[in-house]
Amino acid sequence: MRTPLRATSGERVGSTGKTGRALLSGVLAICLAGTMVIQPLAAEAAKPKPPVIPSKAAVERAKQAAASKAAQVATIERQLAAANARLEQLGIQSGIADEAYNGAVYRLQQAKADAAAAAARATEAEKTLAVQRAQIGRFAAASYQGGGDVAKIAPLFTANGPQDLLDSAGAARSVSAAMQGSYLRFSATQVMTNLFKVQADQAVVKVKKATDEAAAAKKAAEDAEDAQSAAVTAIGVQRTKSIAQLAVLQNTSVQVAAQRQRGLEELARQRAAALAAKKAAELKRRIAAREAAERRAEAAERAREEQEAREEAKKNHGKKPKHKPSSPGRNDDNGGNNGGNEGGGHSSGGSARDAINFALRQLGDMYLWGATGPSRWDCSGLTQGAWERAGVQLPHYSVAQYEQIQHIDEDELRPGDLIFWATNPSDPGTIHHVAMYLGNGEMIHAPRTGKPVQIDSVYYWIPPNFFGRP
């Protein structure tokens, strides 16, 4: 039997209403419970969290780690600075060895010249001795044939006969005395000939010694150059590693660490350049002061001479006085007064401007020990070539260059003058580098291996010790 439609729908509606009420009650209960839970959590969150307090031991370890890292950074930076200083020192040592080689070659050339001169003297003395020996031999033979009558053989001793012999002898009273004089001269010539032979032999020994010294100096220069080259490579590798270590310790990239290192080195270079510029300005001031004093002295001397000339004219009643040359002033390279511009002349008469222009044309040419051009130079080779262009011959050795030129004081420097550095400031025999002064505290020189001919401050390096004018 089917259920009536209305009765069935009512049952469903009633059932649904009960279920909804139950569901609503459950939701309300959950919300109430959730509210009760959230309130305690919010209260809990409002309380401050206890701070994390490292132990004293942890703090000490952190300090030690930071100090260790800072110490490592400082150590590496000192190592980099020491490496740069080491390269500079090797450059100096290499330059000293190079000039020592030039000195050995110079002494070898001198020894060969002395040996040649000694050999020539010995040869000439031997010829003279042979002539005198022959004369005595002829005299002895003639004396024997003439029965010992020396008067008959006197003409043998001169070209024009016995009278010339007697006239030249002056105090001689007989041909016998002249014969005795001839024998004495022969004896003296024989002594001198033997002496010249000994000197020639000694000169040969000196040549051999100088040759050995030149070979040893060449080997030393080669070793110094090799040591410098090897150090450049090794220090370059170590530098790269050190900068990488700095980057790790400083928590930076290698590029940043390298940039910082370059910046530090550039800052040090700028400080050194500023100090050099200050010293150069002081040198320029002292030079200008000396020039001004010399000009005042010259003006005073001219005024004195003019006053004397006027007084002389008065004494001679207006007659023209005898000409008296004025005191020569210091002239520049073109023959005029320098006007205080560091353009002083040179005692040799050579043009300093020619020498300077030649040196300036070599700017950029690379250093090569023992080189004298045309495109590679060492320090004394450059100054030799420059002054040779001006007509002044200088040896290829800085010590000898200083020995052969006029010595001057530092505040007497004029363009073209030479500046020298020595290992012992009081001994010019220890000179090992030379440069040419350009004026305004600057110089041009060939510094060392790896460097080109360049212009630097006179004080870019250690202060110079000696000064001279070709």
Side-chain angles (χ1 to χ4, degrees):
M1 176 176 182
R2 295 192 307 173
T3 303
L5 179 60
R6 187 175 182 82
T8 303
S9 298
E11 290 175 359
R12 289 179 178 176
V13 172
S15 175
T16 300
K18 292 178 180 179
T19 303
R21 287 192 296 272
L23 179 60
L24 180 59
S25 298
V27 170
L28 291 173
I30 292 172
C31 289
L32 182 59
T35 302
M36 294 174 66
V37 173
I38 290 173
Q39 289 177 350
L41 289 177
E44 186 71 21
K47 295 180 179 180
K49 293 182 179 180
V52 177
I53 302 177
S55 66
K56 291 183 178 180
V59 172
E60 187 62 29
R61 286 194 299 272
K63 288 182 177 179
Q64 291 176 355
S68 176
K69 182 180 291 188
Q72 291 178 59
V73 169
T75 298
I76 293 174
E77 289 179 342
R78 285 196 300 270
Q79 289 173 348
L80 288 168
N84 292 337
R86 173 64 175 158
L87 285 178
E88 183 66 22
Q89 185 60 33
L90 284 172
I92 294 173
Q93 293 175 356
S94 177
I96 292 174
D98 295 347
E99 274 303 284
Y101 168 72
N102 288 339
V105 172
Y106 174 73
R107 288 187 291 274
L108 174 58
Q109 293 170 343
Q110 285 185 316
K112 287 181 176 180
D114 292 344
R121 288 195 300 269
T123 300
E124 188 63 27
E126 186 64 45
K127 289 180 180 179
T128 302
L129 186 66
V131 171
Q132 292 179 350
R133 184 184 293 111
Q135 286 178 341
I136 291 177
R138 289 195 299 272
F139 172 82
S143 177
Y144 176 78
Q145 293 174 358
D149 188 354
V150 295
K152 295 179 180 179
I153 58 175
L156 292 174
F157 289 95
T158 66
N160 299 319
Q163 187 59 46
D164 287 346
L165 175 62
L166 294 175
D167 292 341
S168 65
R173 293 292 183 265
S174 66
V175 176
S176 296
M179 181 186 70
Q180 183 179 11
S182 179
Y183 179 77
L184 291 176
R185 286 192 297 273
F186 170 78
S187 299
T189 301
Q190 190 172 38
V191 171
M192 293 305 299
T193 300
N194 292 336
L195 176 60
F196 289 153
K197 286 182 178 179
V198 171
Q199 290 178 344
D201 292 340
Q202 291 175 341
V204 171
V205 173
K206 289 181 179 180
V207 169
K208 176 61 170 60
K209 182 180 178 181
T211 301
D212 293 341
E213 290 176 349
K218 181 179 181 181
K219 180 64 168 56
E222 291 172 342
D223 290 346
E225 294 288 332
D226 292 343
Q228 183 185 9
S229 178
V232 168
T233 301
I235 290 176
V237 172
Q238 184 59 44
R239 178 186 175 87
T240 301
K241 291 181 178 179
S242 297
I243 289 176
Q245 290 175 345
L246 281 176
V248 172
L249 292 169
Q250 296 170 338
N251 295 322
T252 62
S253 68
V254 173
Q255 290 80 4
V256 173
Q259 184 178 5
R260 169 181 164 77
Q261 184 60 31
R262 288 194 299 270
L264 292 173
E265 292 172 356
E266 175 61 18
L267 182 61
R269 188 198 67 78
Q270 290 177 0
R271 289 172 178 169
L275 180 60
K278 183 178 180 180
K279 292 181 178 179
E282 173 61 20
L283 172 62
K284 186 177 179 181
R285 186 197 66 76
R286 288 192 287 116
I287 289 175
R290 182 160 188 154
E291 288 180 339
E294 290 175 352
R295 287 196 300 273
R296 288 193 298 270
E298 291 169 1
E301 178 64 18
R302 285 194 298 271
R304 184 188 65 78
E305 291 176 351
E306 291 171 358
Q307 179 63 27
E308 289 180 353
R310 287 192 294 268
E311 293 176 355
E312 184 70 18
K314 290 179 180 179
K315 291 179 180 179
N316 295 329
H317 304 290
K319 294 181 180 179
K320 187 177 180 181
K322 295 181 180 180
H323 174 71
K324 294 177 65 177
S326 60
S327 300
R330 188 178 62 255
N331 295 330
D332 63 16
D333 298 331
N334 297 319
N337 188 275
N338 60 32
N341 61 355
E342 296 184 275
H346 291 256
S347 59
S348 63
S351 170
R353 179 50 52 189
D354 290 341
I356 291 171
N357 289 340
F358 179 90
L360 291 175
R361 287 195 294 272
Q362 317 313 315
L363 281 171
D365 288 354
M366 294 304 294
Y367 179 97
L368 178 64
W369 65 280
T372 57
S375 60
R376 304 288 293 274
W377 310 86
D378 65 10
C379 65
S380 56
L382 178 64
T383 51
Q384 178 195 43
W387 271 104
E388 183 178 15
R389 179 56 58 94
V392 179
Q393 299 297 321
L394 295 176
H396 181 203
Y397 179 35
S398 55
V399 172
Q401 287 183 2
Y402 181 73
E403 291 173 345
Q404 296 184 17
I405 62 178
Q406 176 189 355
H407 299 170
I408 61 176
D409 293 330
E410 187 175 15
D411 58 2
E412 292 181 283
L413 279 171
R414 306 289 181 267
D417 290 341
L418 301 185
I419 306 171
F420 301 87
W421 286 258
T423 55
N424 183 347
S426 60
D427 182 7
T430 64
I431 288 174
H432 59 83
H433 188 62
V434 59
M436 179 182 289
Y437 186 63
L438 296 178
N440 295 319
E442 292 185 329
M443 65 183 185
I444 184 170
H445 65 146
R448 60 176 173 82
T449 297
K451 297 283 188 178
V453 174
Q454 60 191 38
I455 295 175
D456 283 311
S457 165
V458 171
Y459 303 101
Y460 92 106
W461 187 33
I462 57 178
N465 309 114
F466 300 97
F467 310 89
R469 178 167 302 154

